[in-house]
Amino acid sequence: MIRSEEVIGAVLAAYEREPRVNLHKFPIDLRFEDGVLTLSGEVDGIAAKKLALELAAAPRPVTGVVDRLRVVPAERMEDGAIRDHVCDALLSEPVFEEFSIQAVVKQDLEPVRSLLSRYEVQVEVNEGVVILNGVVESVSHKRMAGVLAWWVPGSRDVVNGLELAHPEDNDEEVVDSLRLVLEKDPMVNASQLRLSCRNMVVTLDGAVSTESAKSAAEADAWYLFGVNGVVNRIMLLG
């Protein structure tokens, strides 16, 4: 039988080989029991979080991963303020103009915008973790809602539980969703970028003028629900 120390050691070794998972600055606590590996701690970005989860699932004895990782927020905010920001972002986004929006406050639903619509987004925040529930029209709507939640500076994680009225999804849907997100991101000039996706792995090409724009574009791709990997080939303009 493989001991838990061996599994944890293998995962930690994989983390050491991945430069975006900085264990020295952001240590991750690992616990392995009955085939399930539990990850706890803070990481410095969405890429580090998703890569840490992917690498944790790789060893053969691991049959499940419990995600308790949180992203260090750009700004520390109270749960109520985060919830208000997410609701405001949904209200301001044209693709949700025919959606009802509700806030979950102390387990009670409070209407933010009530419409006679089959589509609804419920927003709850618990210790910086944004929880989205309800029903949306398509996977593109689900992805956009998730990105808007991630963009709130105080968000530490996003649990996207939105159900789909039309669940069709493919690589082209990912590209379309990402293009829409990049066009809305003030940090990025979407016209400078070329996007592609294969088997839910996004590739970014093009050239931008700043490192922050390059990082923002990659983060936006990682934020998308269902994306399993991001290859960032964006170059910096000299």
Side-chain angles (χ1 to χ4, degrees), residues 167-187:
E168 296 83 3
D169 194 17
N170 52 50
D171 290 336
E172 291 182 3
E173 289 279 355
V174 173
V175 172
D176 290 343
S177 297
L178 181 54
R179 184 175 291 110
L180 181 60
V181 167
L182 293 174
E183 288 173 353
K184 294 179 179 297
D185 190 338
M187 297 287 292

Side-chain angles (χ1 to χ4, degrees), residues 5 7 10 22 29 45 57 63-64 69 95 97 105 107 109 113 124 138 178 187 202 226 233-234:
E5 293 84 357
V7 174
N22 187 344
D29 180 67
T63 58
L69 293 177
V95 302
E97 63 184 2
V105 182
Q107 298 184 332
L109 287 175
R113 179 173 65 200
E124 182 179 3
S138 69
L178 181 54
M187 297 287 292
V202 171
R233 299 200 299 224
I234 299 172

Side-chain angles (χ1 to χ4, degrees), residues 8-9 11 36 40 44 58 91 94 113 122 140 168 170 183 222:
I8 291 172
V11 174
V36 177
S40 305
D44 64 345
L91 289 172
R113 179 173 65 200
Q122 300 171 3
S140 294
E168 296 83 3
N170 52 50
E183 288 173 353
W222 280 113

Side-chain angles (χ1 to χ4, degrees), residues 60 112 135 187:
R60 183 169 297 178
V112 177
V135 179
M187 297 287 292

Side-chain angles (χ1 to χ4, degrees), residues 20-21 43-52 71 218-219 222-223:
R20 286 168 290 185
V21 180
V43 292
D44 64 345
I46 183 65
K49 174 181 169 67
K50 286 198 170 180
L51 288 167
V71 172
E218 179 176 341
W222 280 113
Y223 289 147

Side-chain angles (χ1 to χ4, degrees), residues 3 5 35 44-45 52 55 64 72 80 97 99 102 124 129 143 155-157 187 200 206 212 228:
R3 296 179 300 173
E5 293 84 357
D44 64 345
L55 293 170
V72 176
E97 63 184 2
F99 286 56
Q102 297 202 71
E124 182 179 3
V129 178
R143 289 187 172 116
S155 297
R156 302 179 67 215
D157 198 4
M187 297 287 292
M200 296 299 167
S212 59
N228 297 323

Side-chain angles (χ1 to χ4, degrees), residues 36-81:
V36 177
L37 189 61
T38 301
L39 285 66
S40 305
E42 282 193 325
V43 292
D44 64 345
I46 183 65
K49 174 181 169 67
K50 286 198 170 180
L51 288 167
L53 294 171
E54 179 184 351
L55 293 170
R60 183 169 297 178
V62 176
T63 58
V65 175
V66 176
D67 174 17
R68 293 179 182 161
L69 293 177
R70 302 292 180 259
V71 172
V72 176
E75 176 185 341
R76 299 286 177 179
M77 299 172 63
E78 297 292 331
D79 286 350

Side-chain angles (χ1 to χ4, degrees), residues 10 14-15 32 37-38 43 49 59 61 76 85 98 100-101 134 140 144 163-165 189 198 208 227 232 236:
Y15 287 168
F32 183 70
L37 189 61
T38 301
V43 292
K49 174 181 169 67
R76 299 286 177 179
H85 278 287
E98 297 182 0
S100 292
I101 309 297
S140 294
M144 177 57 73
E163 298 180 11
L164 303 175
N189 183 346
R198 183 174 182 180
V208 297
V227 167
N232 191 343
L236 293 178

